[in-house]
Amino acid sequence: MGDRYDFRDATISASAIGTGATVHNDSAAAASVPELVAALVQSREAIAAAAPEPDREEVRDALARIEAELRSDTPRGAVVSSRWKTVTTLIGTLTEPVGKIAEMVAKLFG
């Protein structure tokens, strides 16, 4: 089977092997897809409510599409990021739940 390594949020300087090599991995700060789905589901209505009234249905639709993508076998980061950008553009001001989701999307999908 072999070794498995997770290098998300890793910073490697010098050579990975040898004197003076340093490796830093802040994996505790990394979000997971299930955590993102849970946060999205929990905050869906608060996020939609932050949008101006004419845009709320579009925000709800974008959030539903993001959730569907995240629940797929292999979520496509570009799709999630693009749809999330639609949400943040429609909302304008980032509220607390929006900021939390935005941070998780950035950590997972850049």
Side-chain angles (χ1 to χ4, degrees):
M1 180 139 209
D3 295 332
R4 295 184 63 179
Y5 301 96
D6 182 355
F7 289 109
R8 278 180 289 189
D9 296 324
T11 303
I12 302 171
S13 62
S15 170
I17 300 172
T19 305
T22 59
V23 177
H24 171 72
N25 188 1
D26 189 9
S27 61
S32 70
V33 171
E35 289 171 333
L36 177 54
V37 171
L40 190 64
V41 168
Q42 179 182 1
S43 304
R44 182 182 304 136
E45 283 309 310
I47 293 169
E53 182 63 40
D55 297 325
R56 285 187 185 154
E57 207 48 48
E58 188 174 350
V59 168
R60 283 186 183 101
D61 180 60
L63 293 172
R65 291 172 183 257
I66 291 168
E67 183 180 343
E69 185 65 34
L70 290 170
R71 291 184 186 275
S72 71
D73 290 338
T74 52
R76 297 169 292 171
V79 172
V80 172
S81 295
S82 174
R83 290 188 176 139
W84 182 249
K85 185 173 181 172
T86 298
V87 170
T88 58
T89 299
L90 292 170
I91 289 176
T93 304
L94 295 182
T95 61
E96 191 272 322
V98 176
K100 178 182 174 184
I101 303 289
E103 185 178 321
M104 294 175 83
V105 168
K107 284 182 180 181
L108 282 168
F109 303 111

